[in-house]
């Protein structure tokens, strides 16, 4: 059974930082893209960042470029999201996503999902 478990969310003041982690179990995603989405109250889930299995192809939503950094440790089957200079509009539930080899998480119908972790940024 595949499981993605996020951790690291919480409450932080604007301008602060958080680091999210997502540990996968049940199968290896070392040859697959992984990444993050988020969903704010009353809004649709949106793409945040993606990293290919090689670690050398990174994609970010325009809203987080220059502030968020995605990385991964294939040996640990884990993906990370370092979030700096946080803004109140970053408040959302953050979901980890992984997909099958050769696919992108930006086509979410093929994704495995975590249960989500809440990030709240106060002004």
């Amino acid at each position: 059974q595949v499981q993605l478990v996020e951790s690291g969310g919480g409450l932080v003041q604007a301008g602060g930082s958080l680091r999210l982690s997502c540990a996968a179990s049940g199968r290896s995603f070392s040859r697959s893209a992984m990444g993050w989405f988020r969903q704010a109250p009353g809004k649709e889930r949106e793409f945040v960042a993606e990293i290919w299995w090689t670690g050398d192809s990174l994609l970010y939503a325009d809203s987080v470029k220059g502030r968020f950094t995605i990385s991964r440790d294939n040996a640990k089957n884990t993906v990370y999201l370092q979030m700096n200079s946080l803004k109140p509009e970053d408040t959302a539930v953050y979901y980890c996503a992984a997909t099958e080899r050769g696919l992108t998480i930006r086509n979410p119908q093929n994704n495995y999902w975590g249960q989500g972790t809440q990030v709240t940024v106060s002004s």
Side-chain angles (χ1 to χ4, degrees):
Q1 180 181 356
V2 175
Q3 280 192 313
L4 302 176
V5 179
E6 302 99 334
S7 60
L11 173 64
V12 64
Q13 288 187 333
S17 298
L18 285 173
R19 188 191 193 212
L20 305 183
S21 300
C22 170
S25 61
R27 59 161 282 182
S28 172
F29 289 102
S30 62
R31 301 286 181 173
S32 301
M34 298 182 74
W36 297 88
F37 285 72
R38 68 186 182 186
Q39 187 167 19
K43 295 187 177 181
E44 294 188 352
R45 191 175 298 189
E46 65 175 1
F47 169 77
V48 174
E50 180 178 35
I51 183 168
W52 283 81
W53 68 272
T54 55
D56 61 356
S57 181
L58 312 177
L59 292 171
Y60 296 96
D62 287 344
S63 57
V64 307
K65 279 181 183 176
R67 301 187 298 120
F68 290 11
T69 303
I70 189 170
S71 61
R72 66 189 293 165
D73 184 335
N74 287 338
K76 295 182 179 180
N77 219 16
T78 298
V79 63
Y80 305 95
L81 187 68
Q82 177 66 44
M83 305 185 294
N84 297 330
S85 302
L86 282 162
K87 304 175 181 179
E89 51 263 43
D90 294 317
T91 295
V93 177
Y94 283 71
Y95 295 93
C96 175
T99 188
E100 301 294 345
R101 185 176 181 179
L103 301 181
T104 171
I105 65 167
R106 287 165 288 145
N107 288 328
Q109 67 269 20
N110 298 308
N111 289 351
Y112 299 90
W113 296 99
Q115 81 288 351
T117 186
Q118 177 70 46
V119 171
T120 302
V121 184
S122 62
S123 57

